[in-house]
């Protein structure tokens, strides 16, 4: 619901979902589990968006809740298993964005997520705190630079005793991408990931990529109507 005189928007949504276990989760020779059952979930969220300064700045606040039945999770070395009962995820997100100049925009966000399984334990590998800062820079009509920095804190995983009490290290992840539009249909890009060369894990015992740089191009092909059939 949008209140035009104040630039305020109220929003809410509700949904249900279904996820069948993948073939890898079912039949992988090492980690598969043919007894897995499908996940089902229901979730809702509600929030408010507010614009300021003639639309050049905005603020959003959202509360969310998600209940999952028969959550499928991976636990090393046992493999994939079903978390019996209902697991809950709920929390809130705060975000803001500002168009500071014609060529510079910034954004910030914070998400807090609390989790609980049917026995009252926290879910593994779901960070409790995530902070994100972003900058969008457009020094020319053809060149765009996007940078993001994410701070991830307070994530649990299973310990050697298979209990959810192993604290993963917090980490900072910085990514950037520069895109140059050669024409309306062709653009070149360079993307850098983990620019601080951070050593971090999202799954205990499994490493993640060091600093990595990628380059490529995007080409948009204009659609054309099919040719008329030949006349005999």
């Amino acid at each position: 619901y949008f209140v035009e005189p104040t630039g305020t928007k109220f929003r809410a949504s509700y949904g249900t979902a279904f996820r069948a276990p993948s073939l890898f989760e079912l039949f992988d020779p090492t980690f598969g589990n043919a007894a897995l059952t499908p996940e089902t979930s229901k979730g809702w969220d509600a929030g408010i968006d507010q614009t300021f300064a003639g639309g050049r700045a905005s603020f959003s606040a959202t509360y969310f809740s998600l209940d999952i039945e028969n959550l499928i999770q991976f636990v090393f070395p046992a493999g994939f298993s079903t978390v019996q009962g209902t697991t809950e995820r709920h929390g809130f997100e705060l975000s803001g964005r500002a168009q500071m100049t014609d060529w510079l925009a910034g954004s910030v966000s914070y998400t807090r997520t609390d989790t609980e399984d049917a026995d009252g334990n926290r879910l593994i590998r779901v960070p409790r705190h995530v902070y994100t800062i972003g900058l969008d820079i457009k020094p020319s009509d053809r060149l765009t630079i996007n940078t993001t920095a994410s701070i991830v804190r307070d994530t649990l995983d299973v310990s050697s005793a298979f209990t959810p009490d192993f604290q993963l290290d917090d980490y900072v992840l910085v990514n950037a991408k520069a895109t140059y539009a050669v024409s309306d249909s062709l653009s070149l890009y360079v993307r850098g990931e983990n620019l601080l060369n951070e050593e971090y894990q999202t799954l205990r015992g499994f490493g993640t990529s060091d600093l990595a740089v990628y380059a490529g191009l995007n080409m948009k092909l204009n659609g054309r109507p099919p040719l008329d059939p030949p006349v005999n």
Side-chain angles (χ1 to χ4, degrees):
Y1 179 75
F2 182 60
V3 182
E4 188 171 358
T6 61
T8 307
K9 179 189 292 184
F10 299 94
R11 50 183 166 75
S13 65
Y14 174 84
T16 60
F18 167 92
R19 187 180 84 84
S22 69
L23 294 178
F24 179 80
E25 292 168 337
L26 288 169
F27 304 119
D28 177 75
T30 304
F31 302 116
N33 181 357
L36 293 175
T37 56
E39 294 179 356
T40 59
S41 63
K42 57 183 179 181
W44 65 273
D45 65 76
I48 183 172
D49 303 326
Q50 179 65 57
T51 59
F52 305 93
R56 295 182 65 86
S58 63
F59 171 80
S60 298
T62 304
Y63 179 85
F64 59 87
S65 178
L66 177 67
D67 293 343
I68 305 175
E69 297 282 348
N70 300 322
L71 174 71
I72 298 171
Q73 72 175 11
F74 177 81
V75 179
F76 182 82
F80 293 99
S81 62
T82 296
V83 180
Q84 299 297 326
T86 302
T87 60
E88 301 177 2
R89 304 186 190 203
H90 57 88
F92 63 89
E93 180 176 84
L94 305 175
S95 63
R97 180 175 176 83
Q99 188 71 41
M100 292 172 280
T101 69
D102 292 340
W103 55 271
L104 178 63
S107 62
V108 295
S109 68
Y110 166 68
T111 303
R112 179 186 172 105
T113 306
D114 293 303
T115 63
E116 188 176 56
D117 65 14
D119 296 325
N121 300 312
R122 276 184 61 185
L123 294 181
I124 58 175
R125 306 182 193 113
V126 180
R128 177 168 281 171
H129 307 284
V130 179
Y131 308 82
T132 304
I133 301 172
L135 286 177
D136 297 327
I137 307 169
K138 196 172 180 61
S140 69
D141 290 340
R142 294 185 178 273
L143 179 61
T144 303
I145 302 172
N146 311 105
T147 62
T148 59
S150 298
I151 303 171
V152 181
R153 298 181 54 231
D154 194 1
T155 308
L156 293 182
D157 207 337
V158 292
S159 66
S160 56
F162 304 109
T163 55
D165 56 5
F166 183 87
Q167 188 80 39
L168 293 175
D169 290 338
D170 301 338
Y171 61 90
V172 178
L173 193 61
V174 178
N175 301 324
K177 181 179 181 181
T179 304
Y180 183 80
V182 179
S183 66
D184 291 340
S185 59
L186 177 64
S187 61
L188 308 176
Y189 69 86
V190 176
R191 185 177 80 250
E193 298 183 355
N194 193 9
L195 295 180
L196 299 182
N197 203 29
E198 184 92 343
E199 293 186 4
Y200 69 100
Q201 294 181 349
T202 60
L203 173 63
R204 181 172 180 256
F206 289 78
T208 50
S209 173
D210 296 329
L211 186 153
V213 178
Y214 305 87
L217 60 86
N218 291 318
M219 180 177 292
K220 180 171 65 177
L221 301 177
N222 294 324
R224 296 179 180 275
L227 297 175
D228 293 331
V231 178
N232 294 329

